[in-house]
Amino acid sequence: LLPGFGAQGGTAETVRAAFDARGLGALVVGARGLTFPDQRAGADPAEQAAWAADPAPFIRARIAAADAEIRAVIGAAGGGAA
């Protein structure tokens, strides 16, 4: 379990050593941003309402973005969560 992205300060660079060349090896947590989307800096009220109505697309997008960022840093091939 590694520091989460966002509030805990985790970045792709800080978690790089935990992954192998295939992108395997650790679980990065970013739950606070998923649980409390209204606390994000610059959160738009319309986006917050859309999140409350159907959070799945927002969650998938955040997971995919974090996966892409980590894979870019470690040089791993695609795959990832979607």
Side-chain angles (χ1 to χ4, degrees):
L1 187 61
L2 301 171
F5 275 64
Q8 292 181 335
T11 66
E13 282 295 331
T14 62
V15 301
R16 166 187 263 182
F19 294 93
D20 66 14
R22 298 169 296 162
L24 303 176
L27 173 63
V28 178
V29 177
R32 194 172 305 163
L34 299 175
T35 306
F36 304 106
D38 57 319
Q39 294 179 4
R40 292 184 330 217
D44 174 50
E47 182 180 322
Q48 291 173 17
W51 181 292
D54 184 11
F58 295 93
I59 292 169
R60 281 193 297 271
R62 285 196 173 178
I63 291 170
D67 182 64
E69 182 180 347
I70 290 168
R71 289 179 182 281
V73 168
I74 65 173

